[in-house]
Amino acid sequence: MGSFLMFIATLTTVVGIAYARTDIPKDLNAFATQQDTVYYWADGTPMARTGWVSRQEMPLSKIPDDVRWAVLAAENADFYSDHGISTQGITRALWRTVGEGDTQGGSTITQQYVKNVYLSQDQSFSRKFTEMLLAVKLDRHVSKDEILEEYLNTSWFGRGTYGLQRAAQAYYGKEVTQLNASEGAFLASLLKGASLYDPAINPRNHDRAVKRWKWTLDRMVEIGKLSPAERARYTTFPEPKPPHKPNGTAGQDGYLVQLAEAYAKRAAHISDARFDLGGYQIYTTFEKPRMTALTRAVKEARDTLDPKQRKADRHVRFGASSVAPDGRILAVYGGPDFERQAFNESNAGTVPAGSAFTPFVYAAGLEHGIARERNGPRTSVTPSTVYDGDDDIPVMTPEGPYWDRSGKMVKGQNDGDHSYGRISLHDAMAKAVNSPFLQLGMDAGLKQVRSTAEASGLLPSSFGPPVPAFSMGNSTPSAIRMADAYGMFAAHGMHTDPYSVRKVTRNGEPIRLNLPQAKRAVRPAVADEVTASLARPGGASGVALASPVAAKAGTTEDDTARWYVGYNQAASTAVVVYRMDLTKSLAPLPLKGLGGDSAAGEKLSSQIWNTYTEAMTK
C-alpha cells in the first residue's frame, strides 16, 4: 500500500509538473491553417480551385445543429461536459496500449483537435501523453464552441478535403448549411477513416457506411438530439456523389485564374502574404459558354495552319478577349495551355494596334474638332467632313509636309495602295481608308487623340511615341483593352475599366471590392456615329447574324499583326494574330505567307471573330 501511494504521489507530481510546463503552441500545423481558394464562373458554378489543401473555414453558427450533433453523437457525445479528456477513454487507450500494442482509441474531440493542429500523427505514448495535457489546458482556456468549430474546420474527410464545408461540397455538391441530419451522419462516419467508409474507394465500404450511418442516427436519438419521429424519416441511405475531377489550372482556366487573382488582390486590397493563406471565394465575370466558344474558334483557326510544312505558320500566336460594354470580361483566349505557357496572350501588349486604332482618331476629331492652323480656332468635324483619300499623300502640318527624323516625308498609306479621292470621314471609316485619319490625327492634335484613346480605356503605358504614326496605331494595347475600348462605343460613350471579379468572400464573409465605375469618354452622338460608320450587315465574312454588329479590321504597316475588333450591345470582342518566337526575342515576326497565301492569313483573325460570334448568337 505504501508503494502504491508513493507511486500515485510521484505520478501526480510528474503530471503536475508536466502540465505546468506545457504551453499551448502559438503556431498551428500548416495543414490546419491553410485553405484553398475557389474561383467561380459568372453563373456561380465552380471554375477552378488553387492551394495545397481543399479546406474552407465555416463558423459554427452556420453549421446546422443536426449536423453538429451527428458528429458529436458519433465521436464524443459528452463533449460539452468533459474536461478535454475522458477517464473511460484513457483507461481504454492504456489497456489497448499495454495489452494489445494499439495506441488508438479513447480520444475526445478536444484531443483529436489538438492532434490535428498542434502535434504529429504518430502513435507514440509520449505524443499521446502530450496530447492529453494540451487537451486539458485548452479546455480550460478556450470555449467548447470554439474548439468544436475549429475541429469541424480542420478534420480530414477524404477526397482531398479538410473541414465540413469542403466535405459537403465533395460528397453532396452543396453547402454545409444545406445538409440534413442524414447527410451529416454519413459525413461523421468519415472521421473514422474515409478509406473505410467512402463507397467510391471500395465497394465493400458501402455496407460499412450504411451500418455506421444507421448507428449514428440511432445514437442521436439515444442522447436526445433527434426525435424518434424525425429519425423515422431517414430510411434511405444518402448516397454520396461520385468524386469530381479536381479543378485545376490547365488549359484556359489558368489564364482566367491568373487574371482574377491579380484583380481580386488589387480591388480588395489583399496582400500576397494574406492571399496565400487561402480561404477565398472569388466570383468571376467569366462565362463558360463564351469561353468554350472562343477556345473552339481559335482551335479551328489554328488547325488550318501547318507549321511542319510552312515556316510562316511557325510561332503563330493568338490573343482574344470578349468584354461586355459595362466592363465585365466575359472570355479570353490566353494561349495553348497555361501549364505549358503562362504568358497570357489576351493581356499582353506586344504588337501594334495598327489601323484598328483609327476609330479613336475619328472619335477625337468629332469630339474636339480640328485646328489646321497653329494656335488657330478649332472648327467642328462632322461625319460628312471631306478629306483626301488618295494613297501616298503627304501628311501636312501648318508649316508644311511632316518630315521624320531620318529626313523622309511621311505619307499616308492605304491597304492595297488604293486611292479613293475626296471622301467623307464617315465613308473613309466604313471603307477602311487610312490616309484621311492620318491627317485627321494631326489636325485634331495627337494630344487630343491620345486623351480620347485613354478615356476609352487604352492604357498610357501602351501608347507609342507622339508622331503621325500614332494615329495609325503604333501603340500596343492588349486584346482585353482593345475589346474594352471598343465597348465604349457600344455603351454610347460611357467607359468602364475591364474587370474580372464581381464578388469576393472569405469563408463566406463578404470582402469589400472596389469595382470600377462608368465614366463619360465621348459624347453619345460621337460614339453612335463611330458605331454607324463601323456597322456591318453581317459578321466578319458577311454571314448574317441575329443582332447588328460594328467591326473593324486592323493591319500594320510592317504586316506583323492582324486584328479584328467588333461589338454589339452584348459584347465587344477583339482578336489579334501575330508571330513571335519568345525563345529568341519579343520582336514580332512578319506574317507574309501565313496560312499558305496572303488572303488566308488576312482572314484568320476575322475567321475566329466570326466563328465565335456566330456560336454565341446561336
Side-chain angles (χ1 to χ4, degrees), residues 222-371:
E222 183 181 333
I223 64 176
K225 296 303 178 181
L226 189 67
S227 68
E230 188 172 4
R231 170 65 183 92
R233 289 171 45 200
Y234 301 126
T235 58
T236 304
F237 178 67
E239 297 287 351
K241 299 174 64 177
H244 285 289
K245 182 180 179 182
N247 293 321
T249 56
Q252 295 300 305
D253 288 352
Y255 302 112
L256 302 182
V257 167
Q258 184 186 63
L259 289 171
E261 177 182 326
Y263 189 85
K265 288 178 180 177
R266 184 171 68 252
H269 304 290
I270 304 171
S271 67
D272 289 342
R274 183 164 180 79
F275 193 85
D276 285 345
L277 293 176
Y280 294 95
Q281 299 78 53
I282 299 178
Y283 297 85
T284 74
T285 60
F286 305 126
E287 297 183 359
K288 190 173 184 179
R290 288 185 175 275
M291 277 298 304
T292 301
L294 187 57
T295 303
R296 183 179 296 121
V298 175
K299 183 181 183 304
E300 289 181 10
R302 188 186 292 276
D303 288 345
T304 64
L305 303 177
D306 189 358
K308 292 183 179 180
Q309 298 297 324
R310 290 192 293 265
K311 185 178 179 180
D313 287 359
R314 298 169 192 169
H315 311 299
V316 180
R317 301 184 175 276
F318 301 86
S321 177
S322 197
V323 180
D326 61 6
R328 288 173 294 121
I329 302 176
L330 305 176
V332 301
Y333 181 86
D337 189 316
F338 182 78
E339 293 186 349
R340 289 192 288 119
Q341 177 194 298
F343 178 69
N344 189 341
E345 309 280 4
S346 72
N347 198 35
T350 50
V351 293
S355 55
F357 186 86
T358 54
F360 306 112
V361 181
Y362 189 24
L366 293 171
E367 183 77 8
H368 301 288
I370 60 175

Side-chain angles (χ1 to χ4, degrees), residues 31 34-36 50-54 160:
F31 279 110
Q34 190 174 21
Q35 304 179 62
D36 61 350
T50 60
W52 290 103
V53 298
S54 178

Side-chain angles (χ1 to χ4, degrees), residues 386-391 393 414 418-424 428 433 435-436:
V386 174
Y387 269 75
D388 191 339
D390 283 345
D391 183 60
I393 59 169
N414 293 328
H418 293 304
S419 291
Y420 295 84
R422 304 291 288 176
I423 188 171
S424 70
V433 185
S435 54

Side-chain angles (χ1 to χ4, degrees), residues 347-513:
N347 198 35
T350 50
V351 293
S355 55
F357 186 86
T358 54
F360 306 112
V361 181
Y362 189 24
L366 293 171
E367 183 77 8
H368 301 288
I370 60 175
R372 288 195 169 119
E373 297 180 7
R374 183 180 294 277
N375 300 322
R378 285 187 170 271
T379 58
S380 61
V381 170
T382 69
S384 58
T385 299
V386 174
Y387 269 75
D388 191 339
D390 283 345
D391 183 60
D392 208 30
I393 59 169
V395 175
M396 303 299 293
T397 70
E399 291 79 17
Y402 186 97
W403 300 81
D404 63 20
R405 290 184 177 182
S406 65
K408 181 180 179 181
M409 182 185 295
V410 176
K411 298 181 180 181
Q413 302 290 327
N414 293 328
D415 288 343
D417 299 330
H418 293 304
S419 291
Y420 295 84
R422 304 291 288 176
I423 188 171
S424 70
L425 289 175
H426 178 93
D427 289 345
M429 181 58 66
K431 296 178 180 179
V433 185
N434 293 335
S435 54
F437 297 102
L438 192 64
Q439 184 62 54
L440 177 62
M442 299 299 292
D443 295 345
L446 296 180
K447 184 177 180 180
Q448 299 290 6
V449 175
R450 178 189 170 108
S451 175
T452 300
E454 184 174 346
S456 301
L458 300 189
L459 295 174
S461 59
S462 70
F463 289 148
V467 295
F470 186 80
S471 297
M472 285 295 105
N474 64 8
S475 302
T476 56
S478 66
I480 290 176
R481 284 289 171 171
M482 279 294 275
D484 175 67
Y486 268 67
M488 179 273 294
F489 298 124
H492 307 290
M494 297 297 293
H495 169 255
T496 306
D497 273 335
Y499 64 99
S500 56
V501 177
R502 57 186 177 82
K503 184 174 75 170
V504 175
T505 62
R506 191 167 195 269
N507 301 325
E509 295 299 320
I511 294 178
R512 183 178 178 181
L513 195 67

